[in-house]
Amino acid sequence: MFGGIEAGGTKFVCAVGSSPEDLVTQHFPTTTPAETIARAAEFFAGYKELRSIGLASFGPLDLNPASKTFGHIINTPKTAWRNFDFAGEVARTTKLPVTIDTDVNGAALAEARWGAARGLDTFVYITVGTGIGGGGLVNGKVMHGLLHPEMGHLRVPHDRDDDAYAGCCPFHGDCLEGLASGPALHARWGRAPETLPSEHPAWDLQAHYLALGIQNIICTLSPQRVILGGGVMQRAELFIAIRKKVQVLLNGYVTSSALLSGIDAYIVPPALGDRTGVLGALALARDLATA
Amino acid sequence: MFGGIEAGGTKFVCAVGSSPEDLVTQHFPTTTPAETIARAAEFFAGYKELRSIGLASFGPLDLNPASKTFGHIINTPKTAWRNFDFAGEVARTTKLPVTIDTDVNGAALAEARWGAARGLDTFVYITVGTGIGGGGLVNGKVMHGLLHPEMGHLRVPHDRDDDAYAGCCPFHGDCLEGLASGPALHARWGRAPETLPSEHPAWDLQAHYLALGIQNIICTLSPQRVILGGGVMQRAELFIAIRKKVQVLLNGYVTSSALLSGIDAYIVPPALGDRTGVLGALALARDLATA
């Protein structure tokens, strides 16, 4: 048995189990680090046989094992969590081995193990919700590099004649997250994204920006699949529009059937649904215990 | 001893040797496949002890080992080479084991082995010349995925009020290659890039587009270093301008000293100079023979 925490900016989801078949979860709001971690520790204390805990966390995170601040949340707008030693504090509180990665790298790992990316060695998982994040596996391993991917902060063409909205990213204004996250949709159209009807022009523009981001990710990484999760991606029509626009943008340059006749199986929702995140945390814990 | 071909659209560079210390090279123009490969075979025939040949080639290439057209050049504007079985033909002509990868993946491998990327497991090599291409290593292995990266075809913001030039990419118009390759510079300013003086506004705009592309690659891949080669990158001032603009674009979001105080060692020219490409071909041959 393993423990996992999908740590989001508004919600913590804790789980114990070893796979999608034997999952027990509990969730509660993200408040102060001390209070939130105490609630998680209380949940885990009910399970005596846990071998390790995996954290799939919001970030940015310091994931450099050689760094003094390894496992810390760093540059987050949530000030109580900024420069907080998340992995260290969970380890001290639970007295269990703890591993940490980004929420999206965790989700990618879960989809590789049990979901839409089984058998693939290079793919991305992108979430579109309160923010936009991306992670994935390349050459069979989770993406790290210098720090970890920050795919939400891609710069894409933004025609201010067509779309006067300036973007909401506090760092970059009109980066992908600034133009196409849930809060960007809300601010541009003056209402919550889930209240915008399918025929509203919001969705064509949304598909346009996401397709631009995906085209850039395809050109950079050549993923074998692109998985799109998160609250904003709950509409099937959005997938249809994005697939078409990615094909138009690539314009036949990348000659792979996956991007032509196979596009419906190339840009897909997560197979694990809303359990992808917490299963990612569990997959991280499993990998730590069995490494 | 190993053989290598750096196969470019205008020039073939052939080499035998095993490292930068014992390299013998010969180059000639790229004409028809039959004629060009015959000249290469003639060069290699002078060396009896070759174990394998590596091709670091222009593309796009089919690099999927399961594909019927593995080793073919596919969608190139050079019609004589389109759908040509490059790896197969070199193997048949030389009767040696042959391996193939993109020119930029080869260059990345050479820089990892002998140059500016020693000790790194995740970095990119970008060339800016007749076209723009990018390759690299992620998690210690050359990037492949679905096909291979096509970093020249990233979409970046293009303000037509500031820069009315429409871009020269036949597939995408104003993608990065369409805006910032050597031919784009030539067409925009009406003269060859190498004749544009350092104080010409061309270079500030050039640095701007390349910085946008690099920022996107940093956000997607989180490379530990970015190596910039190719004809257009022969100016030291261009590196200085790109480094500054990448910092301005990232705006402190990715908190790594490599991108702040360490930027001069982060965005760098290839350490192997103009031998990077052919040494990449040699590195590919070496890996094939010693796999």
Side-chain angles (χ1 to χ4, degrees):
Chain A
M1 291 267 283
F2 311 94
I5 302 177
E6 177 191 8
T10 54
K11 189 174 72 167
F12 262 46
V13 185
C14 298
V16 295
S18 64
S19 79
E21 279 69 49
D22 65 352
L23 202 65
V24 180
T25 66
Q26 189 180 84
H27 60 90
F28 40 83
T30 306
T31 59
T32 64
E35 186 180 48
T36 319
I37 289 176
R39 287 192 76 166
E42 196 184 323
F43 170 73
F44 291 127
Y47 300 86
K48 294 299 167 206
E49 65 279 49
L50 295 184
R51 293 177 60 189
S52 56
I53 293 179
L55 309 178
S57 177
F58 69 104
L61 303 173
D62 183 345
L63 298 179
N64 175 5
S67 163
K68 277 186 210 166
T69 53
F70 172 74
H72 286 47
I73 295 174
I74 41 183
N75 212 0
T76 173
K78 295 183 74 73
T79 49
W81 292 82
R82 197 177 293 164
N83 300 317
F84 177 68
D85 181 10
F86 188 22
E89 195 55 31
V90 173
R92 282 186 287 276
T93 311
T94 62
K95 300 190 169 45
L96 283 167
V98 169
T99 184
I100 186 166
D101 211 318
T102 62
D103 42 10
V104 279
N105 269 345
L109 200 57
E111 291 290 327
R113 197 131 313 155
W114 301 298
R118 272 176 286 191
L120 305 183
D121 66 31
T122 299
F123 70 93
V124 292
Y125 177 96
I126 302 165
T127 181
V128 187
T130 313
I132 297 182
L137 268 62
V138 175
N139 289 324
K141 289 189 201 167
V142 165
M143 296 178 72
H144 287 140
L146 183 66
L147 205 66
H148 54 72
E150 283 288 355
M151 298 186 200
H153 299 274
L154 290 171
R155 301 296 174 111
V156 294
H158 172 205
D159 184 339
R160 286 171 191 252
D161 293 335
D162 278 355
D163 172 26
Y165 179 60
C168 66
C169 173
F171 287 90
H172 312 119
D174 62 352
C175 64
L176 185 61
E177 177 169 301
L179 291 171
S181 60
L185 275 166
H186 199 138
R188 182 188 290 111
W189 302 105
R191 51 198 275 202
E194 59 274 21
T195 69
L196 292 163
S198 291
E199 65 280 9
H200 193 284
W203 299 112
D204 189 69
L205 189 66
Q206 179 69 3
H208 171 69
Y209 288 130
L210 292 176
L212 282 165
I214 292 166
Q215 124 117 21
N216 279 353
I217 291 165
I218 290 171
C219 287
T220 305
L221 272 176
S222 199
Q224 294 151 340
R225 192 159 293 153
V226 174
I227 304 172
L228 300 176
V232 174
M233 293 308 306
Q234 297 308 308
R235 288 173 193 245
E237 315 95 84
L238 194 51
F239 279 88
I240 295 166
I242 289 169
R243 289 176 188 133
K244 274 193 202 145
K245 285 177 189 285
V246 166
Q247 288 184 324
V248 169
L249 283 168
L250 287 171
N251 194 22
Y253 184 70
V254 181
T255 48
S256 166
S257 60
L259 292 164
L260 302 167
S261 58
I263 193 88
D264 289 354
Y266 184 81
I267 297 175
V268 298
L272 301 170
D274 59 10
R275 300 196 306 165
T276 304
V278 75
L279 282 165
L282 212 68
L284 289 166
R286 234 172 103 134
D287 282 4
L288 176 68
T290 58
Chain B
M1 292 265 284
F2 310 94
I5 302 177
E6 178 191 7
T10 55
K11 191 175 70 168
F12 262 46
V13 185
C14 299
V16 295
S18 63
S19 79
E21 279 70 48
D22 65 351
L23 202 65
V24 180
T25 65
Q26 190 179 81
H27 60 90
F28 40 83
T30 306
T31 58
T32 63
E35 186 180 49
T36 318
I37 288 175
R39 288 192 75 168
E42 197 184 321
F43 169 73
F44 290 127
Y47 300 88
K48 294 301 168 203
E49 65 278 47
L50 296 185
R51 293 177 60 189
S52 56
I53 293 180
L55 309 178
S57 177
F58 69 105
L61 304 173
D62 183 345
L63 298 179
N64 175 3
S67 164
K68 277 186 212 168
T69 54
F70 173 73
H72 286 48
I73 296 174
I74 39 181
N75 210 1
T76 172
K78 296 183 74 72
T79 49
W81 291 82
R82 197 178 294 163
N83 300 317
F84 176 67
D85 180 10
F86 188 21
E89 195 55 30
V90 173
R92 283 186 287 277
T93 310
T94 62
K95 301 188 169 46
L96 284 167
V98 169
T99 184
I100 186 166
D101 212 318
T102 61
D103 43 9
V104 279
N105 269 346
L109 200 58
E111 290 291 327
R113 198 130 315 154
W114 302 298
R118 271 177 287 191
L120 304 184
D121 65 33
T122 299
F123 70 94
V124 292
Y125 177 95
I126 302 164
T127 181
V128 187
T130 313
I132 296 181
L137 268 63
V138 175
N139 289 326
K141 289 189 200 166
V142 166
M143 296 178 72
H144 286 140
L146 184 65
L147 204 66
H148 54 71
E150 284 289 355
M151 298 186 199
H153 298 274
L154 290 170
R155 302 293 174 112
V156 294
H158 172 204
D159 184 339
R160 284 170 193 253
D161 293 335
D162 278 355
D163 171 25
Y165 179 60
C168 66
C169 173
F171 287 89
H172 312 118
D174 63 351
C175 64
L176 185 61
E177 178 169 299
L179 291 171
S181 61
L185 275 166
H186 200 138
R188 180 187 291 110
W189 303 105
R191 51 197 277 200
E194 58 273 22
T195 70
L196 291 164
S198 292
E199 65 279 11
H200 194 284
W203 298 112
D204 189 68
L205 190 64
Q206 179 68 4
H208 171 69
Y209 288 130
L210 293 176
L212 283 165
I214 292 166
Q215 125 120 19
N216 279 354
I217 291 165
I218 290 172
C219 287
T220 306
L221 271 177
S222 199
Q224 294 152 340
R225 191 159 293 154
V226 174
I227 304 173
L228 299 176
V232 174
M233 293 308 306
Q234 298 308 307
R235 289 173 191 246
E237 313 95 85
L238 194 49
F239 280 88
I240 295 167
I242 289 169
R243 289 175 189 134
K244 272 192 203 144
K245 285 176 191 285
V246 166
Q247 289 183 324
V248 170
L249 283 168
L250 286 171
N251 194 22
Y253 184 70
V254 182
T255 47
S256 165
S257 61
L259 291 165
L260 303 167
S261 58
I263 192 87
D264 290 353
Y266 184 80
I267 298 175
V268 298
L272 301 170
D274 58 11
R275 302 196 305 166
T276 303
V278 75
L279 281 164
L282 213 69
L284 289 166
R286 235 172 101 134
D287 282 3
L288 176 68
T290 59

